Amino acid sequence: MVDSTRGSSPRITLDVQPRYELRRRSWCADLEWTLDHLAELQHSNRNMDFYWYPRSDQTQVRVMNRVDQEPDGRPWEGARVPSSAGWREHRVGPTHRTIPQHRELRFEEIEYMLPSEAFPACFAEVRRRIRDRHRRIAGWRVLVRSIAPDDIWLSNAYGRPTTTIACLQNTSLPYEEYFRDMEAVFRQYGGRPHWGKKHWLTARDLRPLYPRWDDFRATRRRLDPDGVFLSPDLARLLAEG
């Protein structure tokens, strides 16, 4: 929290907690099982996401929980694990070791943040279009994850429970036609683009998606009137200058 009371020096209050350990588990399951149990998995785990593999129509489900706050039961019970992909990941460690993953493969990515209630219909259309139009080149997986609502003005999760869909593509393969088709679906269901990934929206497109857009621009101008922190990309996105 930032305290910028007029006439006083700015102060920042940090809300910290002792280091803790996470247990990371993953398993493979049929897509239908994953979608049927998605709400339960999202609400009972600290972190939950899954990858959908378009060519096999299978998923890899991943959950992470504090070791001292784990939900009851075995979340993968009842999943029909494909024999060809029946492995599970299980490791425990501090957050800085269990959350990140080291990757050497280079890829392009588009990710949109959707209102959680819109996810089922949006994902169904994404799945249909990938299988009907893009399966020949869409060799990479599709990531689905969930984010709690917050009150940060330009946050993708501002004011609403959020479920995301991300399409990934190897850098050696064409992606623009595929990603633009997916973007059209995401926008139809009220999606907000990830700020650091591929999208083709302008300030005119973005403004209606964020209720506090104008407040943010006014505050930015007041705190940085000379545009010291305004890069060319930010200036374009915010329609500044």
Side-chain angles (χ1 to χ4, degrees):
M1 179 179 68
V2 178
D3 182 358
S4 58
T5 305
R6 186 180 299 274
S8 64
S9 299
R11 295 176 298 171
I12 297 177
T13 301
L14 300 179
D15 182 9
V16 298
Q17 54 185 301
R19 185 183 110 163
Y20 58 88
E21 294 197 333
L22 289 178
R23 186 185 309 276
R24 178 184 182 128
R25 291 191 177 104
S26 67
W27 65 94
C28 295
D30 291 339
L31 175 62
E32 288 73 15
W33 182 92
T34 303
L35 295 177
D36 286 346
H37 292 80
L38 182 60
E40 176 188 352
L41 290 165
Q42 287 175 329
H43 288 95
S44 60
N45 291 281
R46 179 191 184 277
N47 298 83
M48 180 270 166
D49 58 37
F50 75 86
Y51 285 115
W52 169 56
Y53 297 88
R55 295 188 178 181
S56 67
D57 217 25
Q58 301 295 331
T59 67
Q60 177 190 336
V61 183
R62 175 173 55 193
V63 298
M64 286 183 280
N65 292 287
R66 290 180 57 141
V67 295
D68 58 344
Q69 296 179 3
E70 292 192 271
D72 296 332
R74 296 161 61 88
W76 56 85
E77 286 185 338
R80 291 179 294 168
V81 180
S83 59
S84 61
W87 58 270
R88 292 177 181 173
E89 179 188 32
H90 181 191
R91 55 190 173 99
V92 178
T95 55
H96 69 279
R97 295 189 181 278
T98 48
I99 293 178
Q101 283 189 306
H102 175 71
R103 291 190 178 97
E104 295 183 354
L105 292 172
R106 298 177 64 85
F107 57 89
E108 307 288 355
E109 183 174 0
I110 183 173
E111 183 174 33
Y112 264 69
M113 282 60 173
L114 302 150
S116 289
E117 66 270 16
F119 168 77
C122 183
F123 183 79
E125 179 62 13
V126 165
R127 183 189 182 199
R128 185 190 68 78
R129 290 199 188 192
I130 290 177
R131 289 162 65 92
D132 291 350
R133 304 180 184 180
H134 306 289
R135 195 173 184 181
R136 181 179 59 84
I137 65 163
W140 275 52
R141 55 204 179 185
V142 174
L143 172 65
V144 173
R145 59 193 181 97
S146 56
I147 306 172
D150 61 42
D151 59 0
I152 302 170
W153 289 354
L154 291 196
S155 166
N156 307 114
Y158 178 83
R160 66 191 193 190
T162 297
T163 302
T164 80
I165 303 177
C167 299
L168 290 70
Q169 182 76 315
N170 191 294
T171 54
S172 65
L173 297 174
Y175 69 85
E176 185 167 342
E177 180 181 354
Y178 170 33
F179 283 6
R180 282 182 179 272
D181 195 26
M182 295 300 100
E183 184 172 65
V185 180
F186 300 147
R187 294 190 65 188
Q188 179 183 349
Y189 289 94
R192 297 168 176 160
H194 190 296
W195 289 109
K197 300 177 183 179
K198 300 289 186 185
H199 72 86
W200 287 269
L201 270 58
T202 65
R204 179 179 295 180
D205 303 314
L206 292 163
R207 184 172 180 263
L209 302 177
Y210 296 91
R212 303 299 297 272
W213 178 270
D214 291 336
D215 295 323
F216 177 87
R217 291 184 65 201
T219 302
R220 194 213 63 74
R221 289 169 179 167
R222 177 171 60 84
L223 296 177
D224 183 24
D226 298 324
V228 174
F229 297 101
L230 195 62
S231 69
D233 281 343
L234 281 177
R236 176 182 57 81
L237 284 173
L238 297 173
E240 299 279 5

PDB file of all heavy atoms in Angstrom, residues 27-38:
ATOM      1  N   TRP A  27      -1.067 -34.258 -12.984  1.00  0.00           N
ATOM      2  CA  TRP A  27      -1.484 -35.547 -13.528  1.00  0.00           C
ATOM      3  C   TRP A  27      -2.205 -35.313 -14.846  1.00  0.00           C
ATOM      4  O   TRP A  27      -2.615 -34.191 -15.147  1.00  0.00           O
ATOM      5  CB  TRP A  27      -2.395 -36.296 -12.539  1.00  0.00           C
ATOM      6  CG  TRP A  27      -3.702 -35.626 -12.264  1.00  0.00           C
ATOM      7  CD1 TRP A  27      -4.897 -35.844 -12.875  1.00  0.00           C
ATOM      8  CD2 TRP A  27      -3.959 -34.618 -11.276  1.00  0.00           C
ATOM      9  NE1 TRP A  27      -5.880 -35.033 -12.358  1.00  0.00           N
ATOM     10  CE2 TRP A  27      -5.329 -34.274 -11.363  1.00  0.00           C
ATOM     11  CE3 TRP A  27      -3.160 -33.965 -10.329  1.00  0.00           C
ATOM     12  CZ2 TRP A  27      -5.907 -33.317 -10.545  1.00  0.00           C
ATOM     13  CZ3 TRP A  27      -3.745 -33.011  -9.517  1.00  0.00           C
ATOM     14  CH2 TRP A  27      -5.094 -32.691  -9.620  1.00  0.00           C
ATOM     15  N   CYS A  28      -2.360 -36.356 -15.635  1.00  0.00           N
ATOM     16  CA  CYS A  28      -3.036 -36.259 -16.927  1.00  0.00           C
ATOM     17  C   CYS A  28      -4.428 -36.857 -16.833  1.00  0.00           C
ATOM     18  O   CYS A  28      -4.667 -37.803 -16.082  1.00  0.00           O
ATOM     19  CB  CYS A  28      -2.235 -36.978 -18.004  1.00  0.00           C
ATOM     20  SG  CYS A  28      -0.628 -36.210 -18.311  1.00  0.00           S
ATOM     21  N   ALA A  29      -5.351 -36.271 -17.576  1.00  0.00           N
ATOM     22  CA  ALA A  29      -6.739 -36.736 -17.524  1.00  0.00           C
ATOM     23  C   ALA A  29      -7.447 -36.369 -18.811  1.00  0.00           C
ATOM     24  O   ALA A  29      -6.992 -35.504 -19.569  1.00  0.00           O
ATOM     25  CB  ALA A  29      -7.463 -36.103 -16.334  1.00  0.00           C
ATOM     26  N   ASP A  30      -8.585 -37.012 -19.050  1.00  0.00           N
ATOM     27  CA  ASP A  30      -9.426 -36.651 -20.187  1.00  0.00           C
ATOM     28  C   ASP A  30      -9.916 -35.207 -20.033  1.00  0.00           C
ATOM     29  O   ASP A  30     -10.153 -34.731 -18.915  1.00  0.00           O
ATOM     30  CB  ASP A  30     -10.655 -37.567 -20.265  1.00  0.00           C
ATOM     31  CG  ASP A  30     -10.293 -38.993 -20.642  1.00  0.00           C
ATOM     32  OD1 ASP A  30      -9.209 -39.188 -21.217  1.00  0.00           O
ATOM     33  OD2 ASP A  30     -11.093 -39.898 -20.350  1.00  0.00           O
ATOM     34  N   LEU A  31     -10.108 -34.525 -21.141  1.00  0.00           N
ATOM     35  CA  LEU A  31     -10.596 -33.157 -21.095  1.00  0.00           C
ATOM     36  C   LEU A  31     -11.965 -33.084 -20.411  1.00  0.00           C
ATOM     37  O   LEU A  31     -12.219 -32.168 -19.616  1.00  0.00           O
ATOM     38  CB  LEU A  31     -10.688 -32.583 -22.506  1.00  0.00           C
ATOM     39  CG  LEU A  31     -11.297 -31.186 -22.614  1.00  0.00           C
ATOM     40  CD1 LEU A  31     -10.466 -30.157 -21.847  1.00  0.00           C
ATOM     41  CD2 LEU A  31     -11.437 -30.768 -24.076  1.00  0.00           C
ATOM     42  N   GLU A  32     -12.847 -34.030 -20.702  1.00  0.00           N
ATOM     43  CA  GLU A  32     -14.179 -33.987 -20.124  1.00  0.00           C
ATOM     44  C   GLU A  32     -14.118 -34.052 -18.600  1.00  0.00           C
ATOM     45  O   GLU A  32     -14.851 -33.337 -17.904  1.00  0.00           O
ATOM     46  CB  GLU A  32     -15.037 -35.137 -20.667  1.00  0.00           C
ATOM     47  CG  GLU A  32     -15.463 -34.972 -22.113  1.00  0.00           C
ATOM     48  CD  GLU A  32     -14.318 -35.200 -23.100  1.00  0.00           C
ATOM     49  OE1 GLU A  32     -13.270 -35.768 -22.694  1.00  0.00           O
ATOM     50  OE2 GLU A  32     -14.461 -34.797 -24.267  1.00  0.00           O
ATOM     51  N   TRP A  33     -13.246 -34.911 -18.060  1.00  0.00           N
ATOM     52  CA  TRP A  33     -13.100 -34.993 -16.594  1.00  0.00           C
ATOM     53  C   TRP A  33     -12.609 -33.660 -16.042  1.00  0.00           C
ATOM     54  O   TRP A  33     -13.112 -33.165 -15.027  1.00  0.00           O
ATOM     55  CB  TRP A  33     -12.111 -36.100 -16.217  1.00  0.00           C
ATOM     56  CG  TRP A  33     -11.951 -36.262 -14.733  1.00  0.00           C
ATOM     57  CD1 TRP A  33     -12.640 -37.097 -13.915  1.00  0.00           C
ATOM     58  CD2 TRP A  33     -11.032 -35.538 -13.896  1.00  0.00           C
ATOM     59  NE1 TRP A  33     -12.219 -36.938 -12.603  1.00  0.00           N
ATOM     60  CE2 TRP A  33     -11.239 -35.984 -12.571  1.00  0.00           C
ATOM     61  CE3 TRP A  33     -10.080 -34.557 -14.126  1.00  0.00           C
ATOM     62  CZ2 TRP A  33     -10.505 -35.490 -11.486  1.00  0.00           C
ATOM     63  CZ3 TRP A  33      -9.347 -34.047 -13.047  1.00  0.00           C
ATOM     64  CH2 TRP A  33      -9.563 -34.517 -11.746  1.00  0.00           C
ATOM     65  N   THR A  34     -11.637 -33.062 -16.700  1.00  0.00           N
ATOM     66  CA  THR A  34     -11.068 -31.798 -16.224  1.00  0.00           C
ATOM     67  C   THR A  34     -12.114 -30.700 -16.215  1.00  0.00           C
ATOM     68  O   THR A  34     -12.225 -29.948 -15.239  1.00  0.00           O
ATOM     69  CB  THR A  34      -9.874 -31.398 -17.102  1.00  0.00           C
ATOM     70  OG1 THR A  34      -8.896 -32.450 -17.086  1.00  0.00           O
ATOM     71  CG2 THR A  34      -9.238 -30.115 -16.598  1.00  0.00           C
ATOM     72  N   LEU A  35     -12.885 -30.576 -17.281  1.00  0.00           N
ATOM     73  CA  LEU A  35     -13.915 -29.538 -17.328  1.00  0.00           C
ATOM     74  C   LEU A  35     -15.014 -29.793 -16.306  1.00  0.00           C
ATOM     75  O   LEU A  35     -15.519 -28.852 -15.677  1.00  0.00           O
ATOM     76  CB  LEU A  35     -14.505 -29.453 -18.736  1.00  0.00           C
ATOM     77  CG  LEU A  35     -13.549 -28.991 -19.834  1.00  0.00           C
ATOM     78  CD1 LEU A  35     -14.241 -29.017 -21.201  1.00  0.00           C
ATOM     79  CD2 LEU A  35     -12.984 -27.598 -19.550  1.00  0.00           C
ATOM     80  N   ASP A  36     -15.371 -31.045 -16.102  1.00  0.00           N
ATOM     81  CA  ASP A  36     -16.407 -31.382 -15.114  1.00  0.00           C
ATOM     82  C   ASP A  36     -15.966 -31.015 -13.696  1.00  0.00           C
ATOM     83  O   ASP A  36     -16.806 -30.682 -12.846  1.00  0.00           O
ATOM     84  CB  ASP A  36     -16.739 -32.872 -15.166  1.00  0.00           C
ATOM     85  CG  ASP A  36     -17.557 -33.249 -16.392  1.00  0.00           C
ATOM     86  OD1 ASP A  36     -18.098 -32.342 -17.063  1.00  0.00           O
ATOM     87  OD2 ASP A  36     -17.640 -34.460 -16.693  1.00  0.00           O
ATOM     88  N   HIS A  37     -14.663 -31.101 -13.405  1.00  0.00           N
ATOM     89  CA  HIS A  37     -14.147 -30.861 -12.050  1.00  0.00           C
ATOM     90  C   HIS A  37     -13.452 -29.508 -11.920  1.00  0.00           C
ATOM     91  O   HIS A  37     -12.862 -29.227 -10.869  1.00  0.00           O
ATOM     92  CB  HIS A  37     -13.172 -31.973 -11.664  1.00  0.00           C
ATOM     93  CG  HIS A  37     -13.825 -33.312 -11.483  1.00  0.00           C
ATOM     94  ND1 HIS A  37     -14.144 -34.126 -12.552  1.00  0.00           N
ATOM     95  CD2 HIS A  37     -14.233 -33.974 -10.365  1.00  0.00           C
ATOM     96  CE1 HIS A  37     -14.706 -35.236 -12.101  1.00  0.00           C
ATOM     97  NE2 HIS A  37     -14.779 -35.168 -10.786  1.00  0.00           N
ATOM     98  N   LEU A  38     -13.544 -28.675 -12.947  1.00  0.00           N
ATOM     99  CA  LEU A  38     -12.767 -27.442 -12.952  1.00  0.00           C
ATOM    100  C   LEU A  38     -13.121 -26.525 -11.786  1.00  0.00           C
ATOM    101  O   LEU A  38     -12.234 -26.029 -11.071  1.00  0.00           O
ATOM    102  CB  LEU A  38     -12.961 -26.714 -14.276  1.00  0.00           C
ATOM    103  CG  LEU A  38     -12.159 -25.422 -14.449  1.00  0.00           C
ATOM    104  CD1 LEU A  38     -10.671 -25.689 -14.342  1.00  0.00           C
ATOM    105  CD2 LEU A  38     -12.479 -24.770 -15.800  1.00  0.00           C
TER     106      LEU A  38
END
